[in-house]
Amino acid sequence: RRQKKTASHAVVELENAKDCSQAGRPLFCPSHPTEELRLFCEQCDQPVCRDCIVDRHRQHSCDFTGNVIHRHGDALRELLKSTQQHMGTLEDVLGQIDDMGRAVYSRVEAVATEISVFASGYVKAIEEHRDRLLKQLEDLKVQKENLLHLQKAQLQQLLLDMRTGVEFTEHLLTNGSDLEILITKGVVVSRLSKLNSVAYNTHPSVDDEIQFSPQERAGQCCGYEVFGAILNKVVNPARCTLHGEDLHSACQNQLTGFTLLCNDTTGEQMRRGGEAVWVTITHKEKRDCAVKPTVCDNGDGTYHISYSPEEPGLYAVCVYVKGQHVQSSPFTLMVKSKFREHQGVFHCCTFCSSGGQKAARCACGGTMPGGYQGCGHGHKGHPGCPHWSCCGQVKESSECLGGPPSNTSQRSLLRTVAL
């Protein structure tokens, strides 16, 4: 009532308006208070009075409210029906959201319980694995201490025996008479010789190489996979060996290699990689000529060393593990020139290849004295088996070792090729 636009309006309390229905009462035009709203302007979509039609809605399409109420009421009912459907859908979605919220809460509680159980079990497994590792470490310490004590006792006894023998011999040589020395010489010599022949280790029988590897898989513990292992196996370069068919020979510009097998102090193979392996391949005559090898760690205690020499000749190969030479290192490598292909034919004998000529001569220098003798193709070949006519090699897949053939050999070779 304090604002201008609504100061003249009739305002009642909502509670009182429930009983005072306005249905049936005429509604008057806000612009023409004395005129009742009986018409409806389609263009402006609002009720109007007669004065409004004459004034502002002169050119508009207007009709009585009773004539248009059905059409507009039906459209409103359709819109109301659609809105009611959306309301039902929204109520269902809100119900689903509430249900999902309760489900999320329940699921979070269940997963939190699972995480707590898992973490407790994991902690228990780790603690048990820790206790097992500490027990293993203690057993290893006791084992090494026992070996050291045994070695120490043996060496102390040997030292005591030697000291006693030395003192007795010195006393004999200092205070004994010539006859006494000669009488006891045999026993003293036997005793000292026996003491000198006793074999003993000049180094401690064990080492302090005890390592812990956190990344090492340690299997299952209480149903959980755990990591961390005690490594007491240490590589011994003197026990490491080299293997390979072409260990001492190679061909120019051909990729070849060999395998390094790392072993521990007892000679057993190391089942893990990660060792410091260093390989050098240098030419013995050309100082500035070296081959750069590639070392591949197989992860099981073996290492494959591959290389491709570019220059022929003798090479010195050094293989180091932890800065120390392995067995058979250094060794000599012979690099041959490029593979020479055979220029002749691979045949069984000169007699067959030459068309039955007894005096035929192979480029390899072999002859067929006596001609046909009846084996193989019916005769013996030179050198008694199939071979290359150019050099006499008996392996079909081999390198040619012969030089250029002579004129007579060339004629025989040409005859063989033509055959």
Side-chain angles (χ1 to χ4, degrees):
R1 288 177 178 178
R2 295 177 181 177
Q3 302 193 19
K4 293 182 179 180
K5 291 185 178 181
T6 57
S8 61
H9 293 183
V11 181
V12 296
E13 296 289 342
L14 288 175
E15 296 295 334
N16 299 331
K18 291 181 179 179
D19 300 330
C20 303
S21 175
Q22 300 294 328
R25 295 183 180 183
L27 297 177
F28 295 94
C29 179
S31 302
H32 310 91
T34 59
E35 293 292 332
E36 186 179 352
L37 295 174
R38 295 183 177 182
L39 299 170
F40 186 80
C41 178
E42 296 287 350
Q43 184 173 348
C44 296
D45 194 26
Q46 65 179 18
V48 295
C49 63
R50 289 181 300 178
D51 293 346
C52 291
I53 294 175
V54 177
D55 185 11
R56 291 182 299 173
H57 301 272
R58 181 180 300 176
Q59 303 295 332
H60 296 177
S61 174
C62 298
D63 198 354
F64 288 99
T65 56
N67 297 334
V68 299
I69 186 59
H70 299 290
R71 178 163 51 84
H72 288 278
D74 293 341
L76 189 59
R77 291 186 187 91
E78 290 295 329
L79 187 60
L80 175 63
K81 183 178 180 181
S82 177
T83 305
Q84 290 175 343
Q85 291 178 352
H86 284 293
M87 289 176 58
T89 303
L90 291 174
E91 290 176 353
D92 293 339
V93 172
L94 290 174
Q96 294 177 8
I97 290 176
D98 293 337
D99 295 339
M100 184 58 65
R102 289 188 292 269
V104 168
Y105 178 80
S106 301
R107 187 58 186 160
V108 167
E109 292 293 327
V111 172
T113 304
E114 292 179 4
I115 291 175
S116 299
V117 173
F118 171 81
S120 300
Y122 208 171
V123 170
K124 182 180 178 181
I126 293 176
E127 290 177 349
E128 184 173 335
H129 182 54
R130 175 202 61 194
D131 297 339
R132 189 166 59 186
L133 288 175
L134 293 177
K135 178 65 168 56
Q136 182 182 352
L137 182 62
E138 181 66 22
D139 294 342
L140 183 60
K141 183 194 75 169
V142 172
Q143 178 185 358
K144 288 180 177 290
E145 287 179 346
N146 290 339
L147 292 175
L148 289 174
H149 290 162
L150 178 61
Q151 183 185 14
K152 183 178 179 180
Q154 292 174 347
L155 293 179
Q156 285 177 343
Q157 184 62 43
L158 180 59
L159 179 60
L160 179 61
D161 293 342
M162 287 185 174
R163 183 177 289 115
T164 303
V166 169
E167 291 177 354
F168 177 81
T169 305
E170 289 178 346
H171 181 74
L172 176 65
L173 293 175
T174 304
N175 302 320
S177 63
D178 296 343
L179 183 59
E180 290 175 342
I181 294 175
L182 293 176
I183 291 174
T184 58
K185 178 184 74 69
V187 178
V188 173
V189 169
S190 176
R191 179 61 175 168
L192 294 180
S193 299
K194 184 177 180 180
L195 291 175
N196 290 334
S197 63
V198 174
Y200 57 91
N201 193 355
T202 58
H203 301 282
S205 57
V206 297
D207 51 43
D208 60 346
E209 292 292 341
I210 303 176
Q211 299 177 359
F212 175 69
S213 176
Q215 296 83 13
E216 194 85 11
R217 293 182 179 271
Q220 296 283 333
C221 183
C222 299
Y224 296 87
E225 185 176 5
V226 292
F227 293 82
I230 296 176
L231 306 177
N232 63 329
K233 293 180 64 174
V234 182
V235 64
N236 186 357
R239 292 296 188 97
C240 299
T241 56
L242 301 174
H243 303 273
E245 296 181 357
D246 299 330
L247 188 61
H248 298 281
S249 62
C251 292
Q252 182 182 4
N253 293 328
Q254 285 191 356
L255 184 65
T256 185
F258 56 89
T259 301
L260 168 65
L261 177 61
C262 289
N263 300 319
D264 60 2
T265 53
T266 62
E268 294 184 3
Q269 179 180 346
M270 302 288 294
R271 298 298 178 182
R272 55 183 173 84
E275 302 295 343
V277 179
W278 181 36
V279 181
T280 61
I281 305 177
T282 56
H283 203 288
K284 285 192 172 184
E285 296 179 357
K286 301 178 181 180
R287 295 184 178 180
D288 56 345
C289 181
V291 179
K292 185 177 182 181
T294 301
V295 180
C296 178
D297 187 352
N298 298 324
D300 57 355
T302 61
Y303 300 81
H304 184 71
I305 295 91
S306 58
Y307 59 94
S308 178
E310 297 180 356
E311 294 289 337
L314 289 176
Y315 287 80
V317 182
C318 298
V319 182
Y320 304 92
V321 173
K322 291 186 175 180
Q324 301 180 28
H325 284 283
V326 302
Q327 284 189 25
S328 306
S329 175
F331 63 90
T332 301
L333 170 68
M334 179 61 186
V335 178
K336 301 178 183 179
S337 301
K338 291 183 179 179
F339 189 83
R340 293 184 58 183
E341 297 183 355
H342 291 282
Q343 302 299 319
V345 292
F346 191 70
H347 62 174
C348 60
C349 69
T350 53
F351 181 79
C352 178
S353 307
S354 63
Q357 297 185 17
K358 296 181 180 181
R361 190 174 187 84
C362 183
C364 64
T367 60
M368 266 305 293
Y372 180 84
Q373 293 185 3
C375 70
H377 279 180
H379 47 269
K380 293 181 180 179
H382 177 79
C385 60
H387 65 287
W388 284 99
S389 62
C390 49
C391 63
Q393 284 277 67
V394 295
K395 292 184 178 180
E396 187 171 3
S397 57
S398 60
E399 183 181 4
C400 184
L401 303 178
S406 60
N407 293 335
T408 57
S409 299
Q410 182 66 26
R411 288 196 299 270
S412 176
L413 178 62
L414 291 175
R415 186 183 300 112
T416 301
V417 173
L419 236 159

